[in-house]
Amino acid sequence: MSLKIRLTRGGAKKRPYYRIVIAEATSPRDGRFIEKVGAYNPMVAQDHPDRLHLDQERIKHWLSVGAQPTDRVARFLGKAGLIAAPVYRDTPTKSAPKKKAQERAKAAAAAAEKAAAAAAAAE
């Protein structure tokens, strides 16, 4: 039995409210869960105290038993100091220009610099 600490969605249409629950990995997102250990309300301001509630003792217990948090919950737990904060890269490398495009950009920049220097020398 693989346990996850994850979010279940509640609330009205376009007004989400999430509960942080302990559930089996095979159960549906909004389906059966073992225990509710917190809540997350993304509709309030980030510095508002009602945005995130965590039952830290129960979360520590479930982590010690082997429950794995999902990415979003791991971020919450990292900010709360319950686990090591996950490291996320700011810029993706997949979308960066490839080798040939970088060479063409360097060549174009060098040509523009050479043209600017020639124009300055002509004056």
Side-chain angles (χ1 to χ4, degrees), residues 77-89:
L77 298 180
K79 285 183 182 178
L82 295 173
I83 62 171
V87 178
Y88 294 101
R89 293 171 41 167

Side-chain angles (χ1 to χ4, degrees), residues 69-112:
T70 57
D71 291 340
R72 178 59 56 182
V73 174
R75 188 175 286 191
F76 294 153
L77 298 180
K79 285 183 182 178
L82 295 173
I83 62 171
V87 178
Y88 294 101
R89 293 171 41 167
D90 290 333
T91 55
T93 57
K94 245 183 160 177
S95 64
K98 304 299 183 254
K99 186 176 179 181
K100 285 186 179 180
Q102 288 178 356
E103 290 173 0
R104 284 193 296 268
K106 284 181 185 177

Side-chain angles (χ1 to χ4, degrees), residues 2-122:
S2 177
L3 297 176
K4 292 280 188 184
I5 304 174
R6 66 181 182 199
L7 299 173
T8 63
R9 192 180 193 279
K13 181 179 178 183
K14 298 191 180 188
R15 303 280 302 167
Y17 185 84
Y18 297 94
R19 291 187 300 183
I20 301 171
V21 298
I22 310 298
E24 287 188 33
T26 58
S27 64
R29 179 192 73 179
D30 297 334
R32 187 173 60 180
F33 61 91
I34 298 169
E35 182 180 356
K36 179 185 170 212
V37 293
Y40 168 59
N41 185 1
M43 299 302 291
V44 297
Q46 285 193 349
D47 56 348
H48 198 276
D50 291 336
R51 186 172 174 93
L52 183 66
H53 295 285
L54 297 172
D55 186 355
Q56 295 189 4
E57 291 179 19
R58 294 305 296 164
I59 291 174
K60 287 179 186 177
H61 164 74
W62 285 109
L63 288 170
S64 70
V65 173
Q68 295 294 315
T70 57
D71 291 340
R72 178 59 56 182
V73 174
R75 188 175 286 191
F76 294 153
L77 298 180
K79 285 183 182 178
L82 295 173
I83 62 171
V87 178
Y88 294 101
R89 293 171 41 167
D90 290 333
T91 55
T93 57
K94 245 183 160 177
S95 64
K98 304 299 183 254
K99 186 176 179 181
K100 285 186 179 180
Q102 288 178 356
E103 290 173 0
R104 284 193 296 268
K106 284 181 185 177
E113 187 177 308
K114 190 183 249 187

